[in-house]
Amino acid sequence: MIVLHTAIAIVLIIVLIIKVKVDPVISLILGSLYLGIATGVGFTATTVAIATGFGEIMAEVGLLIGFGVLIGALLHAMGAFRKIVALLVNGVGARRLPYALTAAMATIFPSIYVDVQVVLASPVARSTAPFIGRTGLPHMAGALGTGIFAGYVFVIPGLAAISIAGLLEIQLGTWLIYGLVIGPVTALVTTLIFRQLLRTRYWNPAKDEEPDEAMIEQETTELVPDDTGTPSLAVSLLPILVPLLLIAFGAFAELLGFSNDVIAFLGDAGFALFVGLLAAYVLARRTLGTEGTDKAMGEGFHTTGAILLVTGIGGSLGAVIGETGLDETLAGLFSADAAAPVILSILLAWVIAAVLHLAIGSVSVAAIAAAGIIGPVLGSIDVAPIVIGLAIASGAMFALQVNSNFFWMYKSLLGLSTQGTFKTLTMVTSIASVISLPMVMAVALIA
């Protein structure tokens, strides 16, 4: 019954938001309350889980969102994004922008937390979208989401990739060889397929795009009329590049075993983004003056509030799901058969990870839980561990939706409606998950 009630809660949230037009915050709370009470968590325990889930998500990503949005507001006010857009359009061409973005996210940035990636990359995606045409925003948004999660699950040092490899005792070097091929190829092929879908009447800007007034005001608050007296592009990018380098250095130091307290401190995502914010603030003060900087910061604060609230409530739903014991229920539904054919074993691993993700709402937790379920019986399956691991990675990416706090961050940062987020993030992660599965099966032929 827990699985049934979880499905009902998710459907209830979707119907309330899309059909009844109820605000996402209210819909998420109603869904969380129903799930907790219907599954026997209890009245008090449900409200505690809602509050605790909100607090845990804010502790995890609250500062990242706040610092990232403020960096974006300051850089936009200085005209930095106009320079970035000009460089990208002139360098790769408008039609190639989504493919350049998704390839970069899948190969260069997996060492960066997915939350940090979307916070820092979403302004660039929104700024470049008009150069592509009417469907520029969904195409760039889809490319961003695909690249982030293809890298996250397939490419070392993505958290999900490292977790699966560790739990299944797969050598990271072996994983790297296959993941570095499957990840970027999945991202590029998915972006291409999604582009074909956008050529139909699939996208309706009036219903699928929903930038709030604060976002529109922030994006139109460019306080320098031209490039005279503004920092060069290289200097303007420092508030973005320095945090990325610090976080990547910390991740690789931990991966390679030479990390210490100082390196961990410097590589902490919160500290790294604060360094970026400090750099952006100093540049803004020199370029815009005190009054202009304060105005840009005010626009950033205005935008941050709504994003933090809806993201935190998404965490509340996840916490209530965790209290139901759904992961244990799902684990009991699956068993491995030693005599199962290779393809059946791969499909089983994919389905376990996909179902866990649909139910729990976290790619990394679904991947870890699936690896934990399959790991003990891996020795009885006549399939190479790397193949099972890649199948889990593929399935864990399937259909990001409303029980993921990332869904709500993505929606708010890219200015999409809930329906538009389903039509971009949920769609591209579903396509990517299915597209990558045949590649995993091909690995079984050589691994």
Side-chain angles (χ1 to χ4, degrees):
M1 292 300 290
I2 294 176
V3 176
L4 175 61
H5 285 304
T6 302
I8 292 173
I10 292 173
V11 171
L12 173 65
I13 292 168
I14 294 171
V15 170
L16 284 174
I17 294 173
I18 295 179
K19 295 296 183 183
V20 190
K21 307 299 181 184
V22 176
D23 185 85
V25 171
I26 295 175
S27 301
L28 283 164
I29 291 292
L30 289 174
S32 299
L33 288 171
Y34 165 79
L35 179 61
I37 295 169
T39 55
V41 172
F43 292 93
T44 301
T46 298
T47 57
V48 169
I50 289 172
T52 302
F54 185 94
E56 289 177 348
I57 286 298
M58 287 299 99
E60 183 179 342
V61 303
L63 286 177
L64 304 184
I65 293 173
F67 291 161
V69 171
L70 290 174
I71 290 171
L74 291 170
L75 292 182
H76 194 281
M78 289 187 289
F81 289 129
R82 172 160 43 84
K83 295 178 181 179
I84 296 172
V85 169
L87 177 67
L88 289 172
V89 172
N90 293 331
V92 301
R95 291 185 178 181
R96 297 189 183 93
L97 281 174
Y99 306 101
L101 177 65
T102 200
M105 304 312 292
T107 55
I108 301 172
F109 298 116
S111 60
I112 315 302
Y113 300 115
V114 294
D115 302 321
V116 178
Q117 290 186 53
V118 73
V119 167
L120 293 181
S122 55
V124 177
R126 281 190 58 84
S127 298
T128 53
F131 291 88
I132 301 174
R134 187 183 71 88
T135 57
L137 179 58
H139 200 188
M140 289 300 291
L144 177 61
T146 305
I148 287 176
F149 283 101
Y152 188 62
V153 301
F154 287 121
V155 180
I156 300 293
L159 175 60
I162 290 178
S163 300
I164 298 169
L167 287 167
L168 299 184
E169 298 182 356
I170 300 168
Q171 291 291 327
L172 289 181
T174 303
W175 186 287
L176 185 64
I177 293 171
Y178 296 107
L180 201 53
V181 175
I182 294 178
V185 171
T186 296
L188 289 167
V189 173
T190 300
T191 302
L192 179 61
I193 292 173
F194 189 57
R195 173 58 181 151
Q196 305 311 309
L197 183 60
L198 290 174
R199 287 180 174 174
T200 67
R201 296 182 179 179
Y202 178 76
W203 190 256
N204 183 348
K207 294 183 178 180
D208 300 333
E209 298 176 19
E210 192 178 79
D212 59 32
E213 292 182 6
M215 177 177 289
I216 295 172
E217 189 174 352
Q218 176 185 315
E219 291 179 344
T220 56
T221 305
E222 190 169 307
L223 302 177
V224 286
D226 53 48
D227 291 339
T228 305
T230 62
S232 65
L233 178 59
V235 174
S236 298
L237 286 176
L238 288 178
I240 295 177
L241 295 178
V242 170
L244 292 179
L245 290 173
L246 286 173
I247 296 169
F249 176 68
F252 279 108
E254 183 177 356
L255 180 63
L256 300 176
F258 65 87
S259 183
N260 55 41
D261 286 344
V262 175
I263 293 176
F265 172 71
L266 294 175
D268 178 79
F271 174 77
L273 279 177
F274 177 72
V275 171
L277 174 59
L278 192 60
Y281 187 81
V282 170
L283 287 174
R285 285 289 293 266
R286 293 181 60 183
T287 305
L288 309 174
T290 303
E291 184 177 345
T293 301
D294 290 345
K295 182 176 181 181
M297 289 285 285
E299 300 297 343
F301 287 133
H302 191 184
T303 304
T304 301
I307 298 173
L308 288 176
L309 183 59
V310 74
T311 300
I313 298 300
S316 297
L317 175 61
V320 174
I321 290 174
E323 288 296 315
T324 64
L326 179 65
D327 53 344
E328 297 176 5
T329 302
L330 290 174
L333 296 177
F334 298 103
S335 61
D337 183 355
V342 171
I343 291 180
L344 185 58
S345 297
I346 294 172
L347 288 174
L348 179 62
W350 186 92
V351 168
I352 291 174
V355 171
L356 284 167
H357 180 219
L358 286 170
I360 297 172
S362 167
V363 172
S364 58
V365 173
I368 291 168
I373 292 169
I374 297 174
V377 295
L378 191 59
S380 65
I381 301 175
D382 190 23
V383 184
I386 180 63
V387 176
I388 296 297
L390 291 171
I392 291 172
S394 174
M397 191 171 34
F398 184 77
L400 231 82
Q401 36 88 26
V402 295
N403 58 353
S404 166
N405 67 287
F406 184 93
F407 180 95
W408 301 105
M409 284 180 63
Y410 179 96
K411 170 192 179 297
S412 302
L413 290 167
L414 286 161
L416 303 172
S417 67
T418 301
Q419 177 175 295
T421 310
F422 275 115
K423 293 169 78 171
T424 51
L425 183 62
T426 306
M427 176 59 73
V428 296
T429 49
S430 301
I431 294 172
S433 181
V434 173
I435 286 295
S436 59
L437 185 57
M439 295 187 231
V440 174
M441 293 180 177
V443 171
L445 300 175
I446 56 177

